[in-house]
Amino acid sequence: ETGVTQSPTHLIKTRGQQVTLRCSSQSGHNTVSWYQQALGQGPQFIFQYYREEENGRGNFPPRFSGLQFPNYSSELNVNALELDDSALYLCASSLEAPAYEQYFGPGTRLTVT
Amino acid sequence: KNEVEQSPQNLTAQEGEFITINCSYSVGISALHWLQQHPGGGIVSLFMLSSGKKKHGRLIATINIQEKHSSLHITASHPRDSAVYICAVSPYSGGGADGLTFGKGTHLIIQP
Protein backbone atom coordinates (compact mmCIF):
# COMPACT_ATOMS: atom_id res chain seq x y z
CA GLU A 1 0.00 0.00 0.00
CA THR A 2 1.56 3.29 -1.10
CA GLY A 3 1.13 6.47 0.89
CA VAL A 4 0.15 9.93 -0.31
CA THR A 5 2.82 11.64 -2.36
CA GLN A 6 3.10 15.22 -3.55
CA SER A 7 5.28 16.95 -6.10
CA PRO A 8 7.26 19.05 -6.24
CA THR A 9 8.64 19.33 -2.71
CA HIS A 10 9.61 22.96 -3.07
CA LEU A 11 8.78 25.57 -5.67
CA ILE A 12 9.68 29.22 -6.19
CA LYS A 13 7.49 31.33 -8.46
CA THR A 14 7.15 34.99 -9.34
CA ARG A 15 4.05 37.06 -8.65
CA GLY A 16 1.58 36.78 -11.52
CA GLN A 17 2.75 33.36 -12.65
CA GLN A 18 0.73 30.16 -12.60
CA VAL A 19 1.58 26.97 -10.71
CA THR A 20 0.41 23.34 -10.73
CA LEU A 21 0.90 21.11 -7.72
CA ARG A 22 0.32 17.37 -7.86
CA CYS A 23 -0.92 14.76 -5.42
CA SER A 24 -1.10 11.01 -5.67
CA SER A 25 -3.68 9.55 -3.29
CA GLN A 26 -3.35 6.54 -1.07
CA SER A 27 -4.30 3.39 -2.92
CA GLY A 28 -8.07 2.85 -2.92
CA HIS A 29 -8.95 6.37 -1.75
CA ASN A 30 -11.44 8.25 -3.93
CA THR A 31 -11.57 11.53 -2.00
CA VAL A 32 -8.86 14.16 -1.93
CA SER A 33 -8.79 17.45 -0.08
CA TRP A 34 -6.36 20.29 -0.54
CA TYR A 35 -5.26 22.62 2.24
CA GLN A 36 -3.15 25.76 2.46
CA GLN A 37 -1.01 26.25 5.55
CA ALA A 38 0.57 29.66 6.07
CA LEU A 39 3.57 29.90 8.35
CA GLY A 40 2.58 29.51 11.99
CA GLN A 41 -1.07 28.80 11.18
CA GLY A 42 -3.27 25.75 10.98
CA PRO A 43 -4.19 24.47 7.52
CA GLN A 44 -7.14 26.05 5.71
CA PHE A 45 -9.47 24.01 3.51
CA ILE A 46 -9.25 24.90 -0.20
CA PHE A 47 -11.49 22.28 -1.84
CA GLN A 48 -12.33 18.62 -1.99
CA TYR A 49 -12.75 16.25 -4.93
CA TYR A 50 -14.76 13.07 -4.85
CA ARG A 51 -14.74 10.72 -7.84
CA GLU A 52 -13.42 13.47 -10.17
CA GLU A 53 -15.99 16.10 -9.12
CA GLU A 54 -15.42 19.09 -6.86
CA ASN A 55 -17.89 18.59 -4.01
CA GLY A 56 -16.81 21.19 -1.50
CA ARG A 57 -14.88 24.43 -1.41
CA GLY A 58 -13.47 26.70 1.25
CA ASN A 59 -13.11 30.47 1.15
CA PHE A 60 -10.62 30.67 -1.71
CA PRO A 61 -10.98 32.68 -4.94
CA PRO A 62 -11.62 31.04 -8.34
CA ARG A 63 -7.97 31.37 -9.33
CA PHE A 64 -7.51 28.31 -7.11
CA SER A 65 -8.76 25.38 -9.19
CA GLY A 66 -8.28 21.67 -9.26
CA LEU A 67 -8.70 18.41 -11.06
CA GLN A 68 -9.04 14.82 -10.01
CA PHE A 69 -8.20 12.09 -12.49
CA PRO A 70 -9.72 8.63 -12.98
CA ASN A 71 -6.85 7.09 -11.00
CA TYR A 72 -7.78 9.56 -8.20
CA SER A 73 -4.54 11.52 -8.44
CA SER A 74 -5.19 15.24 -8.42
CA GLU A 75 -3.84 18.67 -9.20
CA LEU A 76 -4.10 22.07 -7.58
CA ASN A 77 -3.71 24.99 -9.98
CA VAL A 78 -3.19 28.55 -8.85
CA ASN A 79 -3.32 31.37 -11.39
CA ALA A 80 -2.07 34.96 -11.04
CA LEU A 81 0.07 34.14 -8.02
CA GLU A 82 0.17 36.66 -5.19
CA LEU A 83 2.78 37.04 -2.46
CA ASP A 84 0.24 35.81 0.12
CA ASP A 85 -0.03 32.51 -1.74
CA SER A 86 3.35 31.57 -0.25
CA ALA A 87 2.53 28.62 1.98
CA LEU A 88 2.74 24.88 2.46
CA TYR A 89 0.12 23.13 0.32
CA LEU A 90 -1.08 19.83 1.68
CA CYS A 91 -3.26 17.22 0.10
CA ALA A 92 -5.03 14.53 2.07
CA SER A 93 -6.83 11.47 0.79
CA SER A 94 -9.54 9.49 2.47
CA LEU A 95 -11.78 6.57 1.67
CA GLU A 96 -14.91 8.67 1.40
CA ALA A 97 -15.91 11.89 3.18
CA PRO A 98 -13.59 13.78 5.53
CA ALA A 99 -15.24 12.00 8.46
CA TYR A 100 -13.01 9.10 7.54
CA GLU A 101 -9.36 9.14 8.55
CA GLN A 102 -7.32 11.52 6.45
CA TYR A 103 -3.92 10.53 5.08
CA PHE A 104 -1.72 13.54 4.41
CA GLY A 105 1.02 13.99 1.89
CA PRO A 106 4.34 15.64 2.84
CA GLY A 107 3.29 18.94 1.28
CA THR A 108 4.65 21.32 -1.33
CA ARG A 109 6.34 24.47 -0.07
CA LEU A 110 5.48 27.32 -2.47
CA THR A 111 7.35 30.60 -2.30
CA VAL A 112 6.08 33.53 -4.36
CA THR A 113 8.54 36.39 -4.85
CA LYS B 1 -18.60 27.67 10.46
CA ASN B 2 -16.86 25.79 13.21
CA GLU B 3 -14.32 27.56 15.37
CA VAL B 4 -11.59 25.32 16.78
CA GLU B 5 -9.55 26.58 19.70
CA GLN B 6 -6.50 24.85 21.13
CA SER B 7 -4.61 25.44 24.33
CA PRO B 8 -1.89 25.97 25.15
CA GLN B 9 -0.35 27.44 22.00
CA ASN B 10 3.15 26.61 23.23
CA LEU B 11 4.26 24.09 25.82
CA THR B 12 7.74 23.25 27.05
CA ALA B 13 8.12 20.35 29.48
CA GLN B 14 10.75 18.04 30.88
CA GLU B 15 11.18 14.48 29.72
CA GLY B 16 8.86 12.14 31.59
CA GLU B 17 6.16 14.71 32.34
CA PHE B 18 2.47 14.05 31.65
CA ILE B 19 1.27 16.34 28.86
CA THR B 20 -2.26 17.55 28.19
CA ILE B 21 -3.37 19.53 25.13
CA ASN B 22 -6.94 20.79 24.95
CA CYS B 23 -9.25 21.45 22.03
CA SER B 24 -12.71 23.01 21.98
CA TYR B 25 -15.03 23.58 19.06
CA SER B 26 -18.19 25.59 18.58
CA VAL B 27 -20.51 23.52 16.35
CA GLY B 28 -21.52 19.85 16.35
CA ILE B 29 -19.21 17.53 14.44
CA SER B 30 -19.10 14.02 13.05
CA ALA B 31 -15.53 13.36 14.13
CA LEU B 32 -12.50 14.99 15.71
CA HIS B 33 -8.95 14.37 14.56
CA TRP B 34 -5.67 14.75 16.42
CA LEU B 35 -2.74 15.26 14.08
CA GLN B 36 1.01 15.54 14.58
CA GLN B 37 3.17 17.79 12.42
CA HIS B 38 6.96 17.73 12.51
CA PRO B 39 9.28 20.46 11.19
CA GLY B 40 9.29 20.18 7.41
CA GLY B 41 5.54 19.89 7.22
CA GLY B 42 4.48 16.26 7.13
CA ILE B 43 1.24 15.59 9.00
CA VAL B 44 0.45 12.26 10.61
CA SER B 45 -2.99 11.30 11.84
CA LEU B 46 -2.84 10.17 15.48
CA PHE B 47 -6.51 9.65 16.30
CA MET B 48 -9.94 10.07 14.83
CA LEU B 49 -12.73 9.85 17.38
CA SER B 50 -16.38 10.67 17.69
CA SER B 51 -16.99 9.56 21.28
CA GLY B 52 -15.26 8.30 24.38
CA LYS B 53 -11.58 7.58 24.52
CA LYS B 54 -8.83 6.04 22.39
CA LYS B 55 -5.33 4.94 23.37
CA HIS B 56 -2.29 4.20 21.26
CA GLY B 57 0.95 3.55 23.07
CA ARG B 58 1.67 6.56 25.28
CA LEU B 59 -0.99 8.69 23.61
CA ILE B 60 -4.55 8.98 24.86
CA ALA B 61 -7.34 11.03 23.28
CA THR B 62 -10.69 11.77 24.86
CA ILE B 63 -13.74 13.62 23.64
CA ASN B 64 -16.83 15.00 25.36
CA ILE B 65 -19.45 15.60 22.69
CA GLN B 66 -21.86 17.43 25.02
CA GLU B 67 -19.17 19.89 26.10
CA LYS B 68 -17.61 20.11 22.61
CA HIS B 69 -14.19 19.44 24.07
CA SER B 70 -11.34 17.01 23.49
CA SER B 71 -7.99 16.39 25.12
CA LEU B 72 -4.81 14.74 23.94
CA HIS B 73 -2.59 13.29 26.66
CA ILE B 74 0.98 12.08 26.38
CA THR B 75 2.29 9.92 29.21
CA ALA B 76 6.02 9.61 29.99
CA SER B 77 6.87 12.29 27.44
CA HIS B 78 10.07 11.98 25.45
CA PRO B 79 12.07 14.48 23.35
CA ARG B 80 10.94 12.66 20.19
CA ASP B 81 7.37 13.75 21.04
CA SER B 82 8.42 17.33 20.24
CA ALA B 83 6.18 18.48 17.40
CA VAL B 84 3.13 20.57 16.63
CA TYR B 85 -0.11 18.86 17.63
CA ILE B 86 -3.17 19.95 15.71
CA CYS B 87 -6.83 19.37 16.47
CA ALA B 88 -9.19 19.26 13.48
CA VAL B 89 -12.91 18.57 13.16
CA SER B 90 -15.07 17.03 10.46
CA PRO B 91 -18.51 18.50 9.83
CA TYR B 92 -21.62 16.36 10.02
CA SER B 93 -21.79 14.08 6.99
CA GLY B 94 -25.04 15.75 5.92
CA GLY B 95 -23.50 19.19 6.00
CA GLY B 96 -21.72 19.07 2.67
CA ALA B 97 -18.08 18.48 1.88
CA ASP B 98 -16.49 21.23 3.92
CA GLY B 99 -13.22 19.50 4.64
CA LEU B 100 -11.56 19.63 8.01
CA THR B 101 -11.47 22.75 10.16
CA PHE B 102 -8.18 23.02 12.00
CA GLY B 103 -6.99 24.62 15.19
CA LYS B 104 -3.78 26.63 15.08
CA GLY B 105 -1.83 23.88 16.75
CA THR B 106 0.13 23.42 19.97
CA HIS B 107 3.90 23.63 19.67
CA LEU B 108 5.28 21.07 22.13
CA ILE B 109 8.94 20.89 23.15
CA ILE B 110 10.13 18.12 25.46
CA GLN B 111 13.51 18.81 26.97
CA PRO B 112 15.82 15.96 28.02
Side-chain angles (χ1 to χ4, degrees), chain A residues 2-113:
Chain A
T2 57
V4 179
T5 59
Q6 290 186 244
S7 63
T9 306
H10 296 88
L11 198 53
I12 299 174
K13 288 286 191 178
T14 302
R15 190 171 51 184
Q17 286 187 315
Q18 178 267 343
V19 69
T20 298
L21 310 181
R22 294 180 174 82
C23 172
S24 178
S25 297
Q26 178 121 338
S27 178
H29 287 185
N30 56 22
T31 302
V32 65
S33 302
W34 283 90
Y35 299 92
Q36 181 196 65
Q37 186 177 24
L39 201 61
Q41 301 295 315
Q44 298 287 320
F45 174 64
I46 303 174
F47 46 57
Q48 181 187 102
Y49 277 79
Y50 171 71
R51 295 181 186 253
E52 302 177 56
E53 297 284 335
E54 182 183 303
N55 72 335
R57 189 175 185 92
N59 189 26
F60 280 80
R63 59 189 185 85
F64 285 78
S65 64
L67 281 173
Q68 188 181 32
F69 300 100
N71 66 355
Y72 301 136
S73 65
S74 70
E75 289 182 352
L76 164 65
N77 298 289
V78 187
N79 293 322
L81 283 167
E82 301 177 0
L83 296 179
D84 285 348
D85 296 333
S86 296
L88 180 69
Y89 289 85
L90 296 156
C91 74
S93 71
S94 60
L95 193 55
E96 290 284 341
Y100 287 80
E101 187 171 4
Q102 302 261 294
Y103 291 80
F104 286 83
T108 293
R109 175 77 60 187
L110 173 65
T111 302
V112 183
T113 62

Side-chain angles (χ1 to χ4, degrees), chain B residues 51-71:
Chain B
S51 66
K53 174 180 173 178
K54 287 190 175 181
K55 185 176 189 292
H56 184 245
R58 296 180 293 106
L59 302 178
I60 303 166
T62 64
I63 188 168
N64 185 318
I65 295 295
Q66 287 73 30
E67 294 187 2
K68 297 185 176 62
H69 180 269
S70 175
S71 294

Side-chain angles (χ1 to χ4, degrees), chain B residues 28-110:
Chain B
I29 60 171
S30 60
L32 183 141
H33 307 252
W34 280 105
L35 309 167
Q36 181 191 58
Q37 187 171 32
H38 282 282
I43 290 180
V44 174
S45 177
L46 299 175
F47 296 103
M48 186 181 78
L49 64 166
S50 55
S51 66
K53 174 180 173 178
K54 287 190 175 181
K55 185 176 189 292
H56 184 245
R58 296 180 293 106
L59 302 178
I60 303 166
T62 64
I63 188 168
N64 185 318
I65 295 295
Q66 287 73 30
E67 294 187 2
K68 297 185 176 62
H69 180 269
S70 175
S71 294
L72 175 68
H73 306 284
I74 305 175
T75 61
S77 59
H78 189 276
R80 64 175 175 267
D81 297 326
S82 299
V84 177
Y85 291 84
I86 303 173
C87 169
V89 298
S90 300
Y92 279 122
S93 57
D98 293 330
L100 298 179
T101 299
F102 294 77
K104 290 186 177 181
T106 295
H107 189 192
L108 174 65
I109 297 173
I110 304 296

